[in-house]
Amino acid sequence: TYKKPSSAGNIFNVGIWIGISSLFYFSYLSFFLLAFFGLNILRAFKFRELLMLLLGMITPYFLSATYFFLNNTIHLFWQTQVIDNFGFLSFSETNHWIVYVNLVFFAILVLICILSINQYMMKKNIRVHKNLSILYWVMVTAAIALLLQYNVGLEHLLILAIPLGILISFSIMNLKNQTAEAMHFMLLFGAFVFQFQTYLMP
């Protein structure tokens, strides 16, 4: 939508995909805030575009609820999609040490990104600044989503995959070659360990 006078279709589609994704993982509704602030970062605020975004997000719920209503099971839709999935700081219980290792690993990556914000912004044009701001808003959205989802597990951290991947790559690019190679090897090794942890540490 950046520097595009008319982006009604794109904005409505963003809302639709937020609605569809939230039907599978309820806390993705928080991405409405990301879309709202993202639009304000990329272009001047317009109330009409906010309505487009909202209507797009409501559309999947309206169509799904209509189907259940016609089958006289609207109560099941409300119970399954909203009541059973809504929770405030509700985490899945686990005492496995690998869970805490993963949490610490992601926390370190997030901390690196936050502390490196000035380095990322340095000598970049306005459009890059806007795009980087949106990536940080994704991270904020992931935190807000914790307030909505019931029984949050490690898979919730997938929300951070894209912003962390992009921002950490900037950090690696700013390192010396030998240090960057060592960092890349450690990240690759860590990815293999996390991927095959059930086989390595049953």
Side-chain angles (χ1 to χ4, degrees), residues 45-145:
F45 173 79
K46 294 180 181 179
F47 184 72
R48 182 180 62 180
E49 293 181 347
L50 177 62
L51 288 179
M52 293 177 189
L53 185 65
L54 185 61
L55 287 174
M57 188 179 70
I58 292 174
T59 298
Y61 279 86
F62 175 76
L63 296 176
S64 301
T66 300
Y67 172 80
F68 280 90
F69 176 78
L70 293 175
N71 286 276
N72 201 29
T73 54
I74 187 65
H75 61 285
L76 291 178
F77 175 79
W78 178 255
Q79 181 69 34
T80 304
Q81 290 299 141
V82 180
I83 303 299
D84 291 348
N85 286 304
F86 181 78
F88 181 76
L89 294 177
S90 173
F91 302 100
S92 58
E93 296 182 3
T94 179
N95 293 319
H96 202 289
W97 65 270
I98 195 65
V99 174
Y100 299 103
V101 171
N102 290 340
L103 290 174
V104 170
F105 176 72
F106 271 87
I108 291 172
L109 293 181
V110 170
L111 187 61
I112 290 173
C113 293
I114 293 174
L115 295 178
S116 302
I117 184 170
N118 290 329
Q119 185 182 29
Y120 297 153
M121 297 291 188
M122 189 180 301
K123 297 180 181 179
K124 300 294 193 303
N125 59 41
I126 294 177
R127 181 168 184 177
V128 174
H129 283 195
K130 292 178 180 291
N131 292 338
L132 288 173
S133 297
I134 292 175
L135 291 178
Y136 279 99
W137 269 108
V138 175
M139 297 168 66
V140 173
T141 303
I144 295 174

Side-chain angles (χ1 to χ4, degrees), residues 154-202:
L154 277 178
E155 63 277 359
H156 186 84
L157 295 176
L158 286 172
I159 300 176
L160 297 173
I162 292 177
L164 286 183
I166 295 173
L167 295 175
I168 292 298
S169 69
F170 288 161
S171 295
I172 294 176
M173 289 169 60
N174 291 327
L175 296 174
K176 295 180 180 179
N177 289 340
Q178 293 181 344
T179 308
E181 290 176 2
M183 180 72 71
H184 184 263
F185 175 78
M186 291 173 60
L187 290 173
L188 185 63
F189 178 76
F192 275 111
V193 171
F194 292 151
Q195 184 69 28
F196 299 104
Q197 58 183 310
T198 53
Y199 302 101
L200 298 173
M201 297 165 285

Side-chain angles (χ1 to χ4, degrees), residues 22-42:
S22 67
L23 290 175
F24 294 91
Y25 194 68
F26 181 72
S27 62
Y28 279 163
L29 278 177
S30 61
F31 272 77
F32 176 80
L33 294 176
L34 173 64
F36 172 74
F37 288 111
L39 282 174
N40 282 290
I41 291 171
L42 294 175

